[in-house]
Amino acid sequence: MKRVIVALSLLAFAVVSAFVFTKILIDNINSVSADVSHLSSVSQTASEKELVDETRAVIAKWNNAQKFLKIISVHENLTEINRTINSLNDISSSGNRELLCEKCNEIRVMLSIFESDERISIENIF
């Protein structure tokens, strides 16, 4: 009987921790995605200095979120997202606003796919 209780306790802990980590992961991804959307909308009207500052803020937020994402998620697209987000710095420094908007849209799609892959669902478990 003790084994059953221990097994059920471990199962309950695993389920609760999966939901908590998924909630934190989704919050981090949504926060970065919102900042990327803001960067995309600001990119057409902001000065070059403001644009570079906004881009650096997005990259800093991504680097903080990425530390957590690397711990709880094993995802091959994480490195591709990281490379694309870090490329925003060079793009904003060059002043190519159209390419910056295009990359921001690409990043939002990549983050959306990453989020849907990490959600707890029957398809992701089995």
Side-chain angles (χ1 to χ4, degrees), residues 55-92:
T55 304
R56 288 185 179 151
V58 168
I59 292 171
K61 189 168 218 173
W62 167 251
N63 288 334
N64 287 336
Q66 182 185 8
K67 292 175 188 175
F68 177 74
L69 296 176
K70 283 183 175 181
I71 293 171
I72 67 165
S73 176
V74 178
H75 202 277
E76 55 275 351
N77 288 339
L78 195 57
T79 56
E80 182 65 25
I81 295 170
N82 185 42
R83 186 189 61 76
T84 307
I85 288 178
N86 286 328
S87 73
L88 291 177
N89 195 25
D90 294 335
I91 295 169
S92 66

Side-chain angles (χ1 to χ4, degrees), residues 28-76:
N28 280 333
I29 291 174
N30 287 339
S31 175
V32 171
S33 184
D35 286 350
V36 170
S37 295
H38 176 70
L39 176 63
S40 178
S41 64
V42 169
S43 68
Q44 298 303 320
T45 58
S47 68
E48 293 212 13
K49 183 184 180 325
E50 292 172 340
L51 192 60
V52 170
D53 291 342
E54 288 285 332
T55 304
R56 288 185 179 151
V58 168
I59 292 171
K61 189 168 218 173
W62 167 251
N63 288 334
N64 287 336
Q66 182 185 8
K67 292 175 188 175
F68 177 74
L69 296 176
K70 283 183 175 181
I71 293 171
I72 67 165
S73 176
V74 178
H75 202 277
E76 55 275 351

